[in-house]
Amino acid sequence: MEHIGSSYNGATKFGRMEGEGEYTFPTNTRYVGEMKDGMFHGKGVLYFPNGSKYESTWENGIAKQGTFTFADGLQYQEKDWSYCNGYDRRFYTERCNGLRPAGKSQITDLHPPRAIPDGCYDCGDGFYNPSTRVVTAYTGRFLRSADDQEHEWIVRTCRKAWDEWTRLLQYLSPLHADSWMTFELVHETSLMLDQGLGSGGQGS
């Protein structure tokens, strides 16, 4: 096992895992539970580095029936899954603790959100650097290199370290579009005044 970066601590029989034990993968994912003939067999739990876990009944290394629980305690349901659907966009912690006051809304399930390193994205299980295409855990440990598909998904959907102005006019109703254009005009005017370029900036 040590040759592939894994480790085992527990009972053995004839040099193979047998009985209760803990198997740790090179990724630091841990299996804790029953073993038989060198395989996961019986009741056991996979603990992932991000805090989530998968509890299952295993047969000869194959999970037969199990439950996945996210790090924040949300339990995945194969049927009647109501979390983060088209009708309810709240984070799980908002469902548990209620919504925060207006102007102080959560932007991630964790509040306050993690600080993202400059130039990087928060992709859910770590930070992604688009320059190196490497995902590192929040602790700084290397997780993986992103392929083209994951890179495109992260850049398109994940929270980034910097703010950007975006134009939403094509998605707004005429009433909201008018309000948005008024807001942009006020914003641009305030920038001009800050830079001394307003009506009183020159020639007064």
Side-chain angles (χ1 to χ4, degrees):
M1 293 181 195
E2 62 274 10
H3 299 298
I4 59 173
S6 301
S7 63
Y8 175 70
N9 182 22
T12 60
K13 183 178 180 180
F14 304 123
R16 300 174 69 85
M17 299 183 296
E18 185 90 16
E20 294 284 339
E22 178 177 328
Y23 183 91
T24 304
F25 293 88
T27 59
N28 284 335
T29 295
R30 298 180 300 117
Y31 171 87
V32 180
E34 299 174 332
M35 314 279 189
K36 182 180 179 181
D37 195 26
M39 294 179 285
F40 304 161
H41 189 89
K43 293 183 178 181
V45 184
L46 280 174
Y47 294 95
F48 299 96
N50 64 2
S52 58
K53 64 180 180 179
Y54 181 69
E55 303 172 81
S56 181
T57 299
W58 304 76
E59 289 184 13
N60 299 320
I62 300 174
K64 292 297 183 178
Q65 183 177 2
T67 303
F68 183 85
T69 305
F70 294 89
D72 58 10
L74 174 66
Q75 190 174 93
Y76 175 72
Q77 296 176 340
E78 194 167 339
K79 296 181 179 179
D80 301 322
W81 177 252
S82 62
Y83 173 67
C84 200
N85 58 28
Y87 302 98
D88 188 350
R89 305 295 294 181
R90 291 175 297 168
F91 293 108
Y92 180 62
T93 51
E94 290 179 312
R95 296 180 66 172
C96 294
N97 306 321
L99 295 174
R100 302 181 64 80
K104 298 182 179 180
S105 301
Q106 292 182 213
I107 59 174
T108 69
D109 190 51
L110 180 68
H111 186 82
R114 294 182 180 87
I116 306 175
D118 290 343
C120 295
Y121 294 78
D122 184 346
C123 58
D125 60 346
F127 297 123
Y128 175 64
N129 186 329
S131 299
T132 61
R133 294 206 170 192
V134 168
V135 177
T136 55
Y138 296 123
T139 57
R141 181 175 56 84
F142 173 85
L143 287 182
R144 63 185 177 277
S145 295
D147 59 18
D148 291 342
Q149 184 177 7
E150 184 178 20
H151 169 83
E152 189 276 332
W153 180 84
I154 292 174
V155 170
R156 176 169 47 86
T157 63
C158 292
R159 193 169 64 97
K160 47 187 172 289
W162 62 95
D163 293 325
E164 285 183 355
W165 283 97
T166 58
R167 299 191 63 87
L168 303 176
L169 297 181
Q170 58 181 319
Y171 304 107
L172 300 177
S173 67
L175 175 62
H176 292 126
D178 288 343
S179 299
W180 181 259
M181 286 187 286
T182 301
F183 170 77
E184 282 197 321
L185 178 61
V186 171
H187 175 72
E188 292 172 1
T189 302
S190 65
L191 290 178
M192 291 172 63
L193 291 173
D194 288 342
Q195 298 168 5
L197 299 178
S199 58
Q202 294 182 359
S204 60

